[in-house]
Amino acid sequence: MDFELKTLSLPRICAEKCDALIVLVPDGMAAGSDAISKLAALAIASGDFETKPGKLLGAYRSQGIAATRLLLVGAGDASVKSVKAAVSTAMAALKGSPARRVLIGLSALPQLKPETVRCAVLACDHACYSYDATKSKPAGQKLARVMIAVPALATSRAGFEEGVGLARGVALAREWANRPANHATPTLLGLAAKELGKLPNIKVEVLGPKEVDKLGMGSFAAVARGSEEPLRFIVLHYSGAPRTQAPVVLIGKGITFDTGGISIKPAAEMDEMKFDMGGAASVLGSFRALASLQPAINVVGLIPACENMPDGRAIKPGDVVTSMSGQTIEILNTDAEGRLVLCDALTYAERFKPRAVVDIATLTGACVIALGAVRSGLFSSDDALAQALSAAGDSSLDLCWRMPLDDEYAEGLKTNFADVANVAGRAGGSITAAKFLQRFAGKFPWAHLDIAGTAWKGGPAKGATGRPVPLLVEFLLGQVLPAGPVARKRTVKKA
Ligand code: BES
Ligand code: MN
Ligand code: ZN
């Protein structure tokens, strides 16, 4: 989607030619003499329209309005959340319409903040996304251009640009997560990462089975054994700050299909396990956003990518493997494979002497039971890091909820046959998974996001959500250190 920011007052919006005009109408909108204000006031007085977030009133070739179609949409208290609901509903109402050029008018919103503009751009792009990578006839997106009208550029520009960069990242994450496993193999994920490597300040290395063996990643390699598809270990670098600045490391679970392995999953809804690389997709999406936004930080992305398949060579319950950290692991359930690939990536992260490591994984069904589809599970041994991630989730409307990590939860991971088992009992399943990971994250501040409930939607609207890219990008932007006297000059073009 092509976005443009324009300064337009309500009277000017009335005179702007476009295929569809969406005007956000907040509670108690100031009376005006322009056609939109009059129409809104009249419709509210007659009971045909309400300013509750998402309430709609449509008109065609309205008098005094140059746009062909007009949609008034309630924006309630004009909070970021209400604006998100308003833009989402209005854009959904335009689905299938022949409109190509759309104007979204935010000029009636009181004290418009950059976050509101950012959120409007993101919500609009989200509503326009259509998956067609594996369709013979693409849905054919008619919408080509969206103009966002604001009362003043100065206060909206930064939010607008953040919104556009973030939207690109979210769309990339959704696209890769949505692709079926035969169109999103570890090899193809590696190539997608390589593409990102062409963007400014991004470098990408992709390691294969030989290199992974050489690194001693015996746990990751064990999961990949059952598949004909060769594993990939993807390393992305975003360098926006001097090399001396310690990076933040993002680790994304990249199981491109999770059958469960020998501990095989039931058939019902197994197709949804193509989304088991949602963590990896969110790392790719975050890097796409970094390329656009060019913040002054360093970020490393790590993606252990493979399939989890049953096979003559596959790992069996009871097998013991040696992780890169040297710790031995008894694999009691081959379906608890996410933690087995993540633990080696966590050990690999040590070499970057990171200021923080955040892993993102569709890790446990138990997390879906605990938190549903509203909030991702947040686990961290570091209060400041947990606080920063939690706040980033709140302000980007990509919520998470902190879960406990008491040592008592690790009791069930004890075994007579290795240093640690890969599963404990059913109770507290998302926490015992996090306790397993924590054993490999002792050398840096660490947080884990369990996105099993939030990375995709099931049912008729089945599809990837792009979460938690907004949370991650918000968190990363907050990691930019205040500019000192030797602030680096940035001459790189944005992507
Ligand atoms: N990828 C799944 C987690 C998952 C399941 C996400 C359902 C979303 C919906 C993960 O690899 C897995 O299978 N976890 C097991 C762990 C168990 C064997 C301890 C689970 O949650 O059942
Ligand atoms: Mn599994
Ligand atoms: Zn899995």
Side-chain angles (χ1 to χ4, degrees):
M1 184 61 50
D2 224 2
F3 286 99
E4 190 189 339
L5 185 66
K6 282 194 161 189
T7 328
L8 294 173
S9 59
L10 277 179
R12 298 261 312 276
I13 289 178
C14 297
E16 192 78 9
K17 279 201 177 123
C18 57
D19 300 324
L21 168 61
I22 294 169
V23 180
L24 275 73
V25 183
D27 296 337
M29 180 164 121
S33 55
D34 61 282
I36 293 170
S37 303
K38 282 198 217 152
L39 191 72
L42 211 63
I44 292 167
S46 67
D48 287 304
F49 178 57
E50 279 179 90
T51 54
K52 274 196 199 137
K55 286 281 176 187
L56 283 172
L57 180 69
Y60 190 73
R61 292 193 189 278
S62 227
Q63 243 207 343
I65 288 159
T68 314
R69 300 161 191 84
L70 171 67
L71 273 180
L72 295 184
V73 59
D77 58 2
S79 65
V80 177
K81 195 174 169 188
S82 303
V83 167
K84 180 180 177 180
V87 173
S88 306
T89 337
M91 291 305 296
L94 277 187
K95 240 196 165 104
S97 129
R100 287 183 55 80
R101 290 176 75 245
V102 172
L103 178 71
I104 301 181
L106 304 181
S107 306
L109 303 179
Q111 286 127 33
L112 191 59
K113 292 180 298 193
E115 304 89 276
T116 314
V117 180
R118 180 182 67 184
C119 160
V121 172
L122 188 60
C124 174
D125 197 68
H126 216 279
C128 296
Y129 171 85
S130 82
Y131 173 82
D132 38 39
T134 48
K135 292 185 183 164
S136 63
K137 290 186 198 69
Q141 174 61 265
K142 298 218 177 54
L143 236 168
R145 190 172 190 80
V146 176
M147 290 162 293
I148 307 278
V150 294
L153 283 192
T155 48
S156 302
R157 168 74 57 200
F160 173 78
E161 286 187 351
E162 252 179 62
V164 174
L166 184 54
R168 295 221 168 104
V170 170
L172 186 88
R174 291 175 84 185
E175 184 59 30
W176 277 100
N178 277 333
R179 290 192 185 186
N182 63 332
H183 292 262
T185 59
T187 307
L188 289 169
L189 279 193
L191 292 174
K194 278 279 182 197
E195 270 309 297
L196 289 177
K198 294 177 183 165
L199 299 174
N201 279 339
I202 294 187
K203 292 216 160 36
V204 175
E205 297 161 79
V206 179
L207 312 186
K210 280 200 193 108
E211 289 122 314
V212 161
D213 280 344
K214 217 164 143 197
L215 283 164
M217 294 182 165
S219 183
F220 174 29
V223 174
R225 281 179 65 86
S227 170
E228 292 288 323
E229 288 290 340
L231 64 76
R232 290 290 182 264
F233 189 75
I234 304 167
V235 186
L236 303 105
H237 296 267
Y238 166 76
S239 315
R243 290 168 64 97
T244 48
Q245 204 180 105
V248 172
V249 177
L250 302 180
I251 302 178
K253 172 178 172 184
I255 298 295
T256 59
F257 197 81
D258 181 12
T259 63
I262 296 299
S263 316
I264 199 160
K265 287 181 180 294
E269 290 167 10
M270 203 208 270
D271 65 287
E272 294 194 6
M273 284 299 120
K274 72 171 182 176
F275 295 116
D276 210 17
M277 34 62 75
S282 77
V283 172
L284 295 178
S286 298
F287 273 74
R288 181 65 193 81
L290 289 171
S292 289
L293 301 173
Q294 293 288 320
I297 44 166
N298 293 328
V299 185
V300 173
L302 302 177
I303 298 175
C306 69
E307 288 182 341
N308 185 23
M309 299 287 283
D311 180 74
R313 285 167 49 82
I315 38 170
K316 302 166 290 295
D319 281 2
V320 174
V321 297
T322 304
S323 67
M324 186 179 178
S325 72
Q327 296 179 72
T328 60
I329 304 164
E330 184 186 25
I331 302 174
L332 287 172
N333 189 321
T334 66
D335 197 10
E337 85 297 339
R339 60 199 82 180
L340 296 175
V341 307
L342 291 171
C343 68
D344 281 341
L346 283 165
T347 303
Y348 188 86
E350 289 173 4
R351 66 184 57 202
F352 302 108
K353 301 193 170 50
R355 36 205 264 238
V357 175
V358 182
D359 76 69
I360 309 107
T362 48
L363 203 63
T364 63
C367 193
V368 190
I369 302 299
L371 297 173
V374 181
R375 288 180 186 255
S376 304
L378 165 65
F379 301 80
S380 182
S381 43
D382 185 290
D383 287 341
L385 180 57
Q387 177 51 39
L389 287 162
S390 197
D394 289 345
S395 55
S396 60
L397 300 182
D398 185 359
L399 305 172
C400 61
W401 191 258
R402 191 169 180 188
M403 303 277 280
L405 279 174
D406 304 276
D407 280 336
E408 288 80 353
Y409 285 109
E411 277 302 307
L413 294 171
K414 288 188 175 152
T415 159
N416 295 335
F417 302 103
D419 298 342
V420 65
N422 78 328
V423 289
R426 272 166 55 83
S430 69
I431 311 169
T432 54
K435 287 306 284 182
F436 177 92
L437 293 176
Q438 193 182 12
R439 297 175 61 98
F440 300 86
K443 302 218 167 107
F444 36 69
W446 160 79
H448 156 61
L449 286 166
D450 193 331
I451 58 166
T454 53
W456 78 89
K457 285 193 175 116
K462 192 190 287 180
T465 59
R467 291 178 69 183
V469 173
L471 181 159
L472 293 171
V473 173
E474 181 82 2
F475 165 71
L476 291 172
L477 294 180
Q479 295 299 302
V480 176
L481 301 173
V486 286
R488 185 166 169 265
K489 248 203 354 228
R490 284 199 290 121
T491 48
V492 183
K493 257 188 79 188
K494 293 179 182 185

